[in-house]
Amino acid sequence: MALDERKLEVLRAIVEDYVATQEPVGSKALVERHNLRVSPATVRNDMAVLEEEGYIRQPHTSAGRVPTDAGYRLFVDKLSRVKPLSQAERRAIERFLIGAVDLDDVVHRTVRLLAQLTRQVAVVQYPSLSRASVRHFELVPISTTRLMVVMIAETGRVEQRLVDLPGPILADDVTELRRVINEKLVGKRLADTPPLVVALVEEAAASLRPPMTALSTVLLETLVERSEERIALAGTANLARGGLLDFQGSLRPILEALEEEVILLKLFGEVEPSMTRVRIGDENEIEDLRTASIVATGYGPGTMVVGGMGVLGPTRMDYPGNIATVRAVARYVGDLLAQS
């Protein structure tokens, strides 16, 4: 059954009131608070249809109704208007993030900011090495037989490794190794570098082949084999702010899921470019999170996505406000990474 405009307006009003008040919504309150231009009896009839169609439900014997997951989904897809951030909010985001001194600081500022602005649990994935490109390689002599390899990614992430060489090396040879490595690898996606590293050994001058072979082993470990992904989390205490109906009365499954980085990476790290993903209640594949909703998006410099971020909270959340905030913060972080 297709819902007419009036019933959709009633559903929008129920969602907005329930999110704001944490109380089941009755027909009289809807007529008083919203300009629906119909009687409470008409609103009650509309609510009966919405309940029959599965968009709202009656949590107990009171006259009030609350949205179902299907009701929230219809609201997000068709009825909500993404709230534009105010100039003050935009300036606050910019000021908070612009003072970051390095990549770790960017991530920690971002996750705290998201938690404060949305009053939900905030999650930020550190920029993934596998998605990034190489900005620069530095070789720092530690001794005549040992070098430090420093790889700087386009995201600002820095990886350092020590390399023991098969024999002493001259300063000029270190300079030459640095030149050919940067010439071959700078600007390349890390995921595309293995054959290029192999080629560095094959193409090296005979005198440089032993140190280049030692370097190539460490380069492959640094560029490719490091699968470590990290997550920053903030605002877990916000879960306790809700009403009795949030999370069906138990926070334990949510808290246990938040302790699993693999789960968080799946939820927030697999986001396509320029897309905000909203998963509501039973839409979540993770059983422990089927009383929660997730708003996630990707971020990165320009059109490149190097990580995901977003918020997790009760299905009774401010979807338009949270979507706008997550998008705005992701955009600012992307701009920061592009400038760094």
Side-chain angles (χ1 to χ4, degrees):
M1 174 179 172
L3 299 177
D4 59 35
E5 284 301 315
R6 193 184 67 223
K7 292 181 182 64
L8 291 173
E9 281 301 309
V10 169
L11 177 60
R12 186 207 307 272
I14 291 170
V15 172
E16 291 176 350
D17 276 15
Y18 182 55
V19 167
T21 68
Q22 302 183 28
E23 296 290 336
V25 183
S27 56
K28 184 180 177 185
L30 286 178
V31 172
E32 289 173 352
R33 284 199 285 255
H34 299 269
N35 184 27
L36 298 176
R37 300 181 298 279
V38 292
S39 68
T42 301
V43 172
R44 278 196 296 275
N45 289 334
D46 289 342
M47 289 173 73
V49 173
L50 289 168
E51 188 169 8
E52 187 179 329
E53 292 295 309
Y55 294 114
I56 60 175
R57 64 183 177 87
Q58 189 174 21
H60 42 72
T61 54
S62 74
R65 302 293 189 276
V66 301
T68 63
D69 291 352
Y72 286 122
R73 171 49 63 193
L74 185 59
F75 174 79
V76 169
D77 289 347
K78 291 190 175 181
L79 303 178
S80 63
R81 305 176 184 96
V82 174
K83 298 175 184 174
L85 298 187
S86 67
Q87 284 298 107
E89 288 171 319
R90 291 182 182 279
R91 281 197 298 273
I93 293 172
E94 192 170 5
R95 277 200 303 271
F96 193 76
L97 294 179
I98 205 89
V101 296
D102 57 23
L103 184 62
D104 275 343
D105 198 16
V106 169
V107 171
H108 285 116
R109 283 173 180 253
T110 300
V111 78
R112 292 201 312 273
L113 179 66
L114 270 178
Q116 289 167 11
L117 292 176
T118 63
R119 303 180 78 188
Q120 309 292 346
V121 180
V123 178
V124 177
Q125 178 192 15
Y126 276 76
S128 170
L129 268 182
S130 62
R131 302 185 193 179
S133 299
V134 177
R135 178 184 294 171
H136 182 69
F137 270 98
E138 190 55 60
L139 299 182
V140 181
I142 304 299
S143 70
T144 57
T145 58
R146 176 174 275 195
L147 297 176
M148 177 181 285
V149 180
V150 182
M151 190 278 291
I152 305 170
E154 286 291 350
T155 59
R157 185 162 169 177
V158 178
E159 293 287 328
Q160 298 181 143
R161 292 289 181 281
L162 289 175
V163 184
D164 289 312
L165 303 175
I169 190 169
L170 299 172
D172 286 349
D173 288 341
V174 173
T175 301
E176 177 62 11
L177 287 170
R178 182 189 300 121
R179 183 191 68 78
V180 296
I181 290 171
N182 277 291
E183 193 173 89
K184 178 73 78 173
L185 300 181
V186 166
K188 300 297 190 297
R189 286 181 67 249
L190 293 168
D192 299 333
T193 55
L196 302 177
V197 173
V198 172
L200 280 170
V201 177
E202 294 172 348
E203 296 167 8
S207 61
L208 293 180
R209 192 161 292 174
M212 185 64 89
T213 300
L215 278 168
S216 70
T217 302
V218 172
L219 287 175
L220 285 171
E221 289 173 356
T222 304
L223 295 171
V224 182
E225 294 177 10
R226 277 182 63 84
S227 58
E228 175 193 334
E229 300 286 2
R230 294 162 61 200
I231 286 282
L233 192 70
T236 307
N238 287 330
L239 292 172
R241 292 177 42 251
L244 289 174
L245 296 177
D246 290 343
F247 310 116
Q248 296 177 3
S250 176
L251 282 175
R252 184 173 178 175
I254 307 291
L255 294 172
E256 288 177 349
L258 290 175
E259 290 180 356
E260 298 292 334
E261 282 210 351
V262 173
I263 289 177
L264 295 178
L265 283 166
K266 185 172 182 61
L267 294 172
F268 294 93
E270 299 175 0
V271 187
E272 295 301 316
S274 307
M275 183 187 85
T276 304
R277 184 174 61 202
V278 181
R279 286 182 174 167
I280 300 169
D282 282 339
E283 295 172 358
N284 286 304
E285 297 172 12
I286 311 300
E287 188 172 347
D288 285 347
L289 296 178
R290 287 182 180 159
T291 58
S293 284
I294 291 154
V295 177
T297 193
Y299 73 93
T303 58
M304 187 196 329
V305 172
V306 296
M309 69 171 67
V311 296
L312 179 150
T315 54
R316 181 196 54 79
M317 69 161 58
D318 174 13
Y319 291 99
N322 289 343
I323 291 169
T325 301
V326 169
R327 284 178 179 172
V329 172
R331 189 166 58 249
Y332 277 106
V333 173
D335 290 345
L336 266 182
L337 294 179
Q339 295 163 16
S340 65

